[in-house]
Amino acid sequence: MVVAENATLYERVAGHVNELVRRGTLSPGDRVPSVRKLSRQLGVSVSTVLQAYALLENRGVVSARP
């Protein structure tokens, strides 16, 4: 996932998480960082992280489990 310079904040956050997956920092089956933890780490709102995770789920990069 290439993130354009004019991408929205949630698209940049999604790009960050996608890069973690691409580099192997997050392997298939691993949990992604919690919404609150990633929010604190990146200095963005919880809402922004939720939008980023929704985008990644729609693109098939991550999947939600109950």
Side-chain angles (χ1 to χ4, degrees), residues 25-45:
T25 304
L26 291 174
S27 300
D30 284 353
R31 289 178 177 253
V32 294
S34 74
V35 172
R36 288 190 178 122
K37 181 177 180 181
L38 192 60
S39 170
R40 281 191 305 271
Q41 284 178 344
L42 299 180
V44 298
S45 71

Side-chain angles (χ1 to χ4, degrees), residues 1 10-11 13-19 21 26 32 38 49-63:
M1 169 188 286
Y10 78 90
E11 289 171 325
V13 171
H16 172 77
V17 175
N18 189 67
E19 188 63 19
V21 172
L26 291 174
V32 294
L38 192 60
V49 176
L50 287 170
Q51 284 181 298
Y53 280 168
L55 177 63
L56 291 168
E57 189 174 6
N58 287 338
R59 293 184 176 172
V61 177
V62 299
S63 61

